[in-house]
Amino acid sequence: MVSINFLLKAFVWFNLRYLKRHYGRTLAVILGIAVGAAVFTSVRLSIHASLESFSRSMDLIAGQADRVILRPGGRIPDALISQLIRHPAINHASPVLSTYVVVEGIDPKPLLLIGIDPILDRMFRTWRSEDLPTTSSTQPKSFWSTIIEIPFSLLLPASVARDNGWQTNDTIILQHVERKTAFKIVGLLHNSDFALAENGQIAITDIATFQEFTGLYGEVDRIDLQIYPEASADDMADLKSILPADVSLSLPSEQKDIGRNLIRAYQLNLSVLSFVSLFVGMFLVYSLVALNAASRRREMAILRSIGASPRLLFVLFLADGLFLGVIGWMVALPISAILVKYLIKGVSQTISTLFVRLSVEQVALAPWELLLSFCITAIISIAAAWQPAREAMQISPLEVLTSRHSTLKFKQFTGRLAIIGLTFIIMVWPLTQLPGIRGFPLPGYAATFFLFVGFALLSPWCLCHIGRLITPLLSKMAGSVAFLAGKYIGNSDTRTAISVGALITAVALFIALVVMIQSFRSTVSLWVQQTVAGDLFVVPKMGQLNRHRYPFPQKAVEVFQKLETRADYVAFRRYPMHRQQIPYQFEAIDFEVFFKHAGFLWIEGVPETVHLRLMKGEGVVVSEVFANRTGLKVGDRLQAAIDTIQIDLPILGIIRDYRTHGGVVYFALDAFEKLRSAYRDRPNARLHQWSGLRFFFTDNHPDIDMLVEDLRKEIVTKCPVPVDMISGRQLRQGILKIFDETFAVTTALLLIALLVATVGIAVTLVVMVLERSRELNTLFAIGSSFGQIQAMIFWEALVIVLIGQFLGWGCGYLLSLILVFVINQQSFGWTFLYHIDWRTLAITLPLIISAALLATLPAIRSVFYKPPASLLREQ
């Protein structure tokens, strides 16, 4: 306990007083750490909130089910329920239907309308009246029986009713694909249990009312089951035998696990990117601790001479780093609270667009995420202070008091460090060939780490040798001051090498992410212009939100076929599917018209040959994501059951597509409708079931927007059901906007990384000046001008920056290949056309150099921080 008290007193006397005296640079470093920690913490909290919201909603909707019966791409006949209830393995069974609807007259968030049988469902989901005491776990019979007795009645969570000013017995009009109907609010749900699903944006109605409202007579989305605990394996096998062949019996957690895995993959990638800002913050800590150590050499000598041990100095300077990290993390908390409000919307929107739909209203306190953020910040700060602390403890009093320190020992290790660095760089290749681990690109991130370490270890050798090689050239260009600068760079020590390592890291990340983002954006732009081509897109009301599970009614199809317009249309039918727990989209499309106006971005397959076979319905094309996720390739056969239709077709080609996480499968619409024709006697079976269509104007009219608006008005006038329409230009701009918003955080991280690297160079130059203050003042005393000393520091900074830029560009190019072809493929299943935007990089190159050279100003100001005469008199 005595030693701890002594260390605390020593820390306050030796560290805090000095940091307080130089509060400007201390606050700058703390702010840098705070920004990095805030970005990392807010990103983690935002995704944690999204993950928790999704999991909670899925658990509440699944209720107490042990098994779930589903039909991929279709629905289940409700006649199956009576068989299931009588089965010896089944304790309870409950059918469920759900769809998103909007309320007419206002613009609230969509409501998830859930149709259940209140009697059968009581054993699965808990919900109670708002008027019921919170201590009660049951609801009176009249509460749940009311929605059975009163047609077109529903229950709403009390929170939704309050937000919109609704009360019991009010009537609201719900709008769906084919119709809009008045529903009576017969009760309000207490804000707990089932009413919290979808963040409370739900409405509950009787399943018979739901079927009448949506036209899904005799069909349900799924059937939840509770199995008897004593059910044997033979009972379960018999249960599976009575189910149709295309119906699956799965765990209720399976759908949740699929969604959680998708979100976690996104969480890992965004967390690594956000970690960049925190990682580069360690160079700030390193630079400040090194600066403190360099400027307090006499104080350390005095402490050593009066009995202070090297270990004490090591601990005190290590405590410097820890203190900066802890204070920076504490400052980061309020910044995180502000950032997370903006991030949560963007993160949840990106997840909803790319992966699974979710609704996140607020961020709950996540102690584990805060603890993780604190530990990482503290560890990084201690690691950053480690090297300066070791240097402080290894300097003897005599060396410090006489200002003599040799870099000979350091030079002896530059060759070994370079060999180790090259070994790390060579190891990057085999790491990139390893597959991802459970969908996470851990080998890719390991390769990135090896790449950074390799170049960082290579930088000391480059500094020493490049400094010596360019010294004659600098002498010819700028005379003796540049010659001295080159000589000093050639004799530089670990501190300069680490500063160059910081610049390499920042520049490499900047180059790699700029290349990746530009490559991705140019590929997506080409994809939307070619594959997402069209002048007007039309889908049923709420079609996109309901994942195209409700096609146009036949009367709407007939209207579209008779439109008086000079435009071709391409109809399509989409089904959400799963294969090996991988969600994907099956799309039947009119290839004959599609290929007249648009096309695919091909990866494998000969377009001219494949086009003809596709139009004949002789096979399918799949997206790169689907091929990578499932392992299927060209020549393999795709086997699937889609709404009772068996598909067994060869894969003819692989294309690029960036719409869904699991990928897309394309098939000919005519061939698919012929397969469906055998099922026309089924309820709701129609020859033409279109999920939507897109129009292409055949005239080269100068004002396409006018034609689109005229067609839009014609559809609104003639179509018997409400539809959602968007022009092709707006759709493509919306896709690119989502892309830009997705990478907005990444752009901010790039700027933070470069800013921190610049500050790191500034502090390194100040340390170099302080360590050579006696030498520089000696030069001044024997006749060198202040301008010459300024020029020498300027040339030192220029050489350091150019070496860092050179190595950073090489590291960044290799890193961009890893990001594009390894990490993105292992994370999301897609790659894109590699493209380097030389114009953007050419503009940024002088900006980075200029910003780094501005870092010489603090160093120049510190040259004569003491009068030369008094400094030279010191022993």
Side-chain angles (χ1 to χ4, degrees):
M1 193 66 182
V2 175
S3 60
I4 295 178
N5 289 333
F6 173 75
L7 286 175
L8 288 175
K9 291 179 180 178
F11 176 76
V12 172
W13 174 78
F14 185 77
N15 298 72
L16 287 187
R17 290 173 62 191
Y18 189 81
L19 292 175
K20 182 180 179 181
R21 191 184 315 157
H22 301 278
Y23 64 89
R25 62 196 186 199
T26 303
L27 291 177
V29 172
I30 289 175
L31 182 60
I33 298 172
V35 171
V39 171
F40 180 79
T41 305
S42 56
V43 165
R44 294 284 305 182
L45 287 175
S46 299
I47 301 206
H48 175 80
S50 301
L51 191 62
E52 289 301 307
S53 175
F54 172 77
S55 300
R56 182 173 61 251
S57 182
M58 293 293 289
D59 288 338
L60 291 170
I61 291 176
Q64 302 298 316
D66 298 322
R67 298 288 190 279
V68 178
I69 296 177
L70 298 167
R71 169 172 278 157
R75 294 183 174 86
I76 306 164
D78 57 12
L80 186 62
I81 299 172
S82 59
Q83 292 180 261
L84 294 172
I85 292 177
R86 294 194 299 268
H87 194 276
I90 303 299
N91 189 9
H92 299 284
S94 177
V96 180
L97 278 162
S98 63
T99 186
Y100 287 98
V101 296
V102 292
V103 182
E104 189 181 55
I106 57 176
D107 188 27
K109 295 180 180 179
L111 293 176
L112 180 63
L113 181 64
I114 302 174
I116 58 175
D117 185 322
I119 299 176
L120 297 178
D121 201 71
R122 285 183 299 170
M123 302 303 298
F124 291 85
R125 278 157 282 272
T126 303
W127 38 280
R128 63 174 183 263
S129 170
E130 171 75 357
D131 300 328
L132 203 66
T134 56
T135 55
S136 177
S137 60
T138 61
Q139 56 272 1
K141 178 182 178 182
S142 60
F143 183 71
W144 54 259
S145 65
T146 303
I147 60 174
I148 301 177
E149 297 168 355
I150 302 177
F152 292 98
S153 60
L154 53 77
L155 306 172
L156 285 176
S159 58
V160 175
R162 282 195 298 267
D163 291 343
N164 295 281
W166 300 328
Q167 297 179 354
T168 304
N169 296 322
D170 283 353
T171 298
I172 60 176
I173 298 177
L174 300 185
Q175 191 170 17
H176 194 243
V177 177
E178 296 194 38
R179 62 186 298 184
K180 49 187 178 181
T181 303
F183 278 77
K184 182 179 181 181
I185 304 174
V186 296
L188 300 181
L189 300 173
H190 186 266
N191 294 320
S192 60
D193 303 324
F194 192 31
L196 296 177
E198 287 276 317
N199 269 322
Q201 298 296 315
I202 67 168
I204 301 174
T205 189
D206 177 53
I207 195 167
T209 296
F210 188 106
Q211 290 174 326
E212 185 176 354
F213 175 55
T214 58
L216 297 175
Y217 298 104
E219 294 181 325
V220 297
D221 287 338
R222 73 174 196 268
I223 302 175
D224 293 343
L225 304 177
Q226 285 185 358
I227 308 298
Y228 279 115
E230 60 271 15
S232 64
D234 292 338
D235 291 334
M236 296 302 297
D238 183 66
L239 173 62
K240 293 180 180 180
S241 68
I242 69 171
L243 300 177
D246 58 338
V247 168
S248 66
L249 178 66
S250 59
L251 294 171
S253 61
E254 188 172 302
Q255 297 297 313
K256 182 182 74 172
D257 292 342
I258 292 173
R260 287 178 63 89
N261 288 337
L262 300 181
I263 297 175
R264 279 174 175 161
Y266 179 65
Q267 180 186 38
L268 177 62
N269 284 274
L270 202 57
S271 295
V272 171
L273 286 177
S274 65
F275 179 74
V276 171
S277 59
L278 188 55
F279 175 73
V280 294
M282 72 180 293
F283 294 111
L284 280 179
V285 176
Y286 168 84
S287 299
L288 182 60
V289 176
L291 175 59
N292 292 344
S295 59
R296 307 181 72 185
R297 298 171 69 86
R298 286 186 59 81
E299 295 178 42
M300 289 188 293
I302 294 173
L303 286 176
R304 289 292 311 278
S305 64
I306 62 176
S309 67
R311 182 176 299 177
L312 176 62
L313 293 179
F314 175 77
V315 172
L316 288 176
F317 279 99
L318 210 62
D320 251 356
L322 179 61
F323 174 78
L324 293 170
V326 171
I327 299 301
W329 180 82
M330 293 174 65
V331 175
L333 292 181
I335 301 177
S336 301
I338 299 173
L339 283 178
V340 77
K341 294 180 180 179
Y342 297 95
L343 281 174
I344 191 67
K345 181 179 179 181
V347 167
S348 60
Q349 180 180 349
T350 301
I351 293 174
S352 296
T353 301
L354 297 178
F355 309 118
V356 294
R357 174 171 172 79
L358 52 81
S359 175
V360 184
E361 293 294 331
Q362 58 184 1
V363 180
L365 183 65
W368 165 248
E369 295 295 344
L370 294 178
L371 178 62
L372 176 66
S373 171
F374 174 80
C375 292
I376 290 180
T377 305
I379 291 172
I380 281 180
S381 301
I382 293 175
W386 190 274
Q387 179 62 26
R390 282 187 58 83
E391 288 186 3
M393 70 178 288
Q394 291 174 352
I395 299 175
S396 67
L398 179 62
E399 288 178 317
V400 176
L401 292 174
T402 58
S403 296
R404 295 197 309 263
H405 55 282
S406 175
T407 60
L408 180 62
K409 187 176 180 181
F410 171 69
K411 285 185 177 181
Q412 295 174 349
F413 288 98
T414 57
R416 293 185 199 172
L417 291 177
I419 294 174
I420 297 173
L422 287 174
T423 303
F424 270 88
I425 295 173
I426 293 172
M427 286 296 296
V428 168
W429 168 252
L431 283 172
T432 59
Q433 303 306 302
L434 298 176
I437 301 174
R438 299 182 64 181
F440 297 107
L442 298 183
Y445 286 126
T448 300
F449 174 76
F450 273 53
L451 190 66
F452 282 141
V453 172
F455 273 88
L457 294 176
L458 197 60
S459 61
W461 185 89
C462 291
L463 275 172
C464 293
H465 287 76
I466 293 178
R468 287 201 296 267
L469 288 175
I470 66 173
T471 297
L473 178 62
L474 293 176
S475 179
K476 293 179 181 179
M477 291 175 56
S480 59
V481 291
F483 173 80
L484 291 175
K487 290 292 290 183
Y488 187 78
I489 296 298
N491 295 324
S492 59
D493 59 5
T494 55
R495 188 174 297 109
T496 307
I498 292 178
S499 179
V500 172
L503 185 60
I504 292 172
T505 301
V507 171
L509 285 169
F510 183 85
I511 298 297
L513 290 175
V514 166
V515 171
M516 185 197 75
I517 293 172
Q518 290 293 333
S519 298
F520 201 175
R521 198 184 194 284
S522 62
T523 306
V524 171
S525 179
L526 179 62
W527 169 70
V528 298
Q529 293 296 330
Q530 190 163 337
T531 305
V532 193
D535 297 312
L536 182 65
F537 289 75
V538 185
V539 296
K541 192 70 176 179
M542 311 289 288
Q544 184 73 28
L545 192 57
N546 283 307
R547 302 179 66 195
H548 302 284
R549 301 191 70 209
Y550 297 89
F552 284 118
Q554 188 64 36
K555 54 187 178 182
V557 172
E558 293 171 357
V559 168
F560 292 131
Q561 291 173 327
K562 297 176 182 178
L563 286 175
E564 298 176 0
T565 180
R566 296 168 297 176
D568 293 336
Y569 66 82
V570 176
F572 59 87
R573 179 71 167 104
R574 290 178 184 167
Y575 292 89
M577 299 290 295
H578 284 86
R579 178 187 177 90
Q580 301 170 355
Q581 295 191 356
I582 299 171
Y584 70 95
Q585 180 176 283
F586 180 88
E587 180 167 332
I589 189 172
D590 186 349
F591 282 123
E592 186 173 354
V593 183
F594 175 78
F595 286 135
K596 287 172 57 179
H597 302 279
F600 295 128
L601 295 180
W602 292 88
I603 296 178
E604 292 186 40
V606 181
E608 294 77 9
T609 304
V610 176
H611 282 183
L612 295 175
R613 297 190 64 186
L614 284 175
M615 288 187 285
K616 295 178 182 179
E618 296 178 356
V620 298
V621 291
V622 302
S623 68
E624 177 190 25
V625 178
F626 181 83
N628 289 333
R629 292 296 188 204
T630 62
L632 297 176
K633 55 185 182 296
V634 174
D636 292 342
R637 300 189 71 85
L638 173 69
Q639 297 177 338
I642 305 172
D643 196 15
T644 72
I645 302 170
Q646 296 294 326
I647 298 292
D648 187 356
L649 295 164
I651 297 176
L652 305 178
I654 298 176
I655 60 172
R656 298 185 188 276
D657 195 284
Y658 301 100
R659 280 181 296 178
T660 64
H661 184 78
V664 184
V665 175
Y666 287 98
F667 184 49
L669 180 63
D670 289 343
F672 185 73
E673 289 183 337
K674 288 179 182 178
L675 290 174
R676 290 190 66 256
S677 62
Y679 302 89
R680 294 185 65 181
D681 56 336
R682 293 171 52 242
N684 287 332
R686 304 188 298 268
L687 179 58
H688 295 301
Q689 284 198 340
W690 296 349
S691 299
L693 61 163
R694 62 175 102 174
F695 289 89
F696 296 88
F697 286 100
T698 55
D699 294 343
N700 294 323
H701 196 280
D703 191 356
I704 292 295
D705 291 339
M706 183 187 70
L707 297 179
V708 169
E709 187 60 29
D710 291 342
L711 179 57
R712 190 195 299 264
K713 292 178 181 178
E714 184 180 2
I715 293 174
V716 171
T717 303
K718 296 182 178 179
C719 189
V721 297
V723 297
D724 288 332
M725 291 182 284
I726 185 172
S727 70
R729 180 179 301 175
Q730 289 176 323
L731 177 62
R732 290 184 286 273
Q733 289 175 348
I735 293 173
L736 294 178
K737 181 181 178 182
I738 291 174
F739 175 90
D740 293 335
E741 289 175 349
T742 301
F743 286 98
V745 175
T746 305
T747 304
L749 297 180
L750 290 175
L751 298 177
I752 293 172
L754 289 174
L755 176 62
V756 171
T758 301
V759 175
I761 291 175
V763 177
T764 299
L765 289 172
V766 171
V767 173
M768 291 164 58
V769 167
L770 290 176
E771 288 184 335
R772 293 184 296 151
S773 57
R774 189 182 300 274
E775 300 171 18
L776 296 175
N777 280 273
T778 301
L779 290 174
F780 184 76
I782 63 176
S784 296
S785 67
F786 184 62
Q788 288 177 318
I789 294 176
Q790 283 182 317
M792 184 175 67
I793 297 173
F794 171 83
W795 280 106
E796 289 175 5
L798 182 62
V799 172
I800 291 174
V801 171
L802 289 178
I803 293 175
Q805 285 264 30
F806 173 74
L807 294 176
W809 274 67
C811 182
Y813 172 73
L814 295 176
L815 180 59
S816 67
L817 295 176
I818 296 174
L819 290 175
V820 172
F821 298 107
V822 180
I823 291 179
N824 266 284
Q825 185 178 31
Q826 293 178 356
S827 298
F828 306 109
W830 59 49
T831 58
F832 27 87
L833 302 173
Y834 190 81
H835 171 72
I836 298 178
D837 188 352
W838 293 108
R839 181 180 177 183
T840 301
L841 294 180
I843 293 174
T844 59
L845 177 61
L847 292 178
I848 295 174
I849 294 177
S850 300
L853 293 181
L854 287 175
T856 61
L857 296 179
I860 292 172
R861 291 184 59 187
S862 65
V863 173
F864 300 111
Y865 77 103
K866 284 186 178 182
S870 62
L871 184 66
L872 293 175
R873 283 198 302 267
E874 293 177 356
Q875 296 300 320

